[in-house]
């Protein structure tokens, strides 16, 4: 059974940093691209970042480019999102999603940016 | 990276069919056969319902179907059931990179 479990969210002040993790199981992690998608409270889905199976290709939404860094550790079946210079508008539930079709999603980890 | 355009809401009665549109540009929806649709119930993670415009993942009811014409993709749900009431989102590849994606703003489906 495919499982994606996000962690690392919490309350953080504007301008500070946070690192999210996504632990994957139930599939061959290094066969697939992985993505981060976020959802602000009461709002729609927003693609944040994606990374290819071997980290050779990486993409970011314009809204986070230069502030967020996606990475993965295939030996640990884990996906990460380093978030720096956080802003109030980054407040959202952050999901990790498997493969280019987002065929499986975790339950999300909530990031709240507030002073 | 402009969001794809979806109607904010649609509604239908049990047993009826509804269609949700998703309009983009030639740089996303119109340029690739890589449109997906997701269902999200309140407080739950999204669920993949359609991928590559018209393919259903295993386990998804055949009441759900997808299509595309030009820059507009569509999700049709036939034989509406109460449990279909949810938010629906479309997503597409974009020309910016092989990894970049764009979502629609979402459509709230109400089953009357």
């Amino acid at each position: 059974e495919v499982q994606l479990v996000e962690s690392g969210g919490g309350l953080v002040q504007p301008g500070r940093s946070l690192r999210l993790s996504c632990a994957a199981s139930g599939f061959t992690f290094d066969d697939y691209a992985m993505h981060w998608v976020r959802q602000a409270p009461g709002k729609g889905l927003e693609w944040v970042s994606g990374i290819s199976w071997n980290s050779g290709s990486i993409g970011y939404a314009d809204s986070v480019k230069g502030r967020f860094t996606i990475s993965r550790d295939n030996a640990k079946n884990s996906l990460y999102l380093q978030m720096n210079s956080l802003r109030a508008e980054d407040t959202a539930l952050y999901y990790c999603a498997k493969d280019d079709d987002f065929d499986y999603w975790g339950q999300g980890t909530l990031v709240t940016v507030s002073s | 990276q402009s969001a794809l355009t979806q109607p904010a809401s649609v509604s239908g009665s049990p047993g009826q069919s509804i269609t949700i549109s998703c309009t983009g540009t030639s740089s996303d929806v119109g340029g690739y056969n890589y449109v997906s649709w997701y269902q999200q119930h309140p407080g739950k993670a999204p669920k993949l319902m359609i991928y590559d415009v018209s393919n259903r993942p295993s386990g998804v009811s055949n009441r759900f179907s997808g299509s595309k014409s030009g820059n507009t993709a569509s999700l049709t749900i036939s034989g509406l059931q109460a449990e279909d009431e949810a938010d629906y989102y479309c997503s597409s590849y974009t020309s910016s990179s092989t990894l970049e994606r764009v979502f629609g703003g979402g459509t709230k489906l109400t089953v009357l």
Side-chain angles (χ1 to χ4, degrees), chain B residues 51-68:
Chain B
Y51 67 97
D52 295 352
V53 175
S54 60
N55 294 305
R56 273 187 314 276
S58 174
V60 172
S61 170
N62 59 9
R63 297 186 299 104
F64 292 82
S65 62
S67 63
K68 192 187 83 166

Side-chain angles (χ1 to χ4, degrees), chain A residues 10-33:
Chain A
L11 174 62
V12 61
Q13 293 179 328
R16 302 299 291 267
S17 299
L18 210 55
R19 188 195 196 206
L20 306 184
S21 299
C22 171
S25 62
F27 64 101
T28 304
F29 183 70
D30 54 13
D31 276 351
Y32 297 95

Side-chain angles (χ1 to χ4, degrees), chain A residues 101, chain B residues 6 20-22 35-39 47-54 65-67 73-76 88-91 107:
Chain A
D101 292 317
Chain B
Q6 297 181 232
I20 300 172
S21 61
C22 170
V35 176
S36 300
W37 289 90
Y38 305 88
Q39 176 191 66
K47 175 186 176 183
L48 177 65
M49 305 302 285
I50 296 288
Y51 67 97
D52 295 352
V53 175
S54 60
S65 62
S67 63
S74 299
L75 172 71
T76 297
Y88 290 84
Y89 296 90
C90 61
S91 175
T107 298

Side-chain angles (χ1 to χ4, degrees), chain A residues 21-24 29 71-80:
Chain A
S21 299
C22 171
F29 183 70
S71 62
R72 64 190 294 162
D73 186 337
N74 288 343
K76 295 183 178 180
N77 288 350
S78 293
L79 175 72
Y80 306 101

Side-chain angles (χ1 to χ4, degrees), chain A residues 39 57 61-62 100-102 106, chain B residues 1 38 40 45 89 93 99 101:
Chain A
Q39 187 169 34
S57 183
D62 288 344
D100 292 327
D101 292 317
F102 309 151
Chain B
Q1 296 180 343
Y38 305 88
Q40 187 180 35
Y89 296 90
Y93 280 40
L99 284 168
R101 304 288 183 269

Side-chain angles (χ1 to χ4, degrees), chain A residues 16-93:
Chain A
R16 302 299 291 267
S17 299
L18 210 55
R19 188 195 196 206
L20 306 184
S21 299
C22 171
S25 62
F27 64 101
T28 304
F29 183 70
D30 54 13
D31 276 351
Y32 297 95
M34 296 292 295
H35 295 261
W36 288 99
V37 177
R38 69 184 180 184
Q39 187 169 34
K43 302 297 185 181
L45 302 173
E46 179 189 15
W47 177 80
V48 173
S49 183
I51 185 168
S52 63
W53 67 275
N54 64 351
S55 305
S57 183
I58 285 174
Y60 298 98
D62 288 344
S63 58
V64 307
K65 202 169 292 183
R67 300 187 299 122
F68 289 12
T69 302
I70 192 172
S71 62
R72 64 190 294 162
D73 186 337
N74 288 343
K76 295 183 178 180
N77 288 350
S78 293
L79 175 72
Y80 306 101
L81 187 67
Q82 177 67 42
M83 305 185 296
N84 298 333
S85 303
L86 282 162
R87 306 167 180 167
E89 53 264 37
D90 295 318
T91 294
L93 187 62

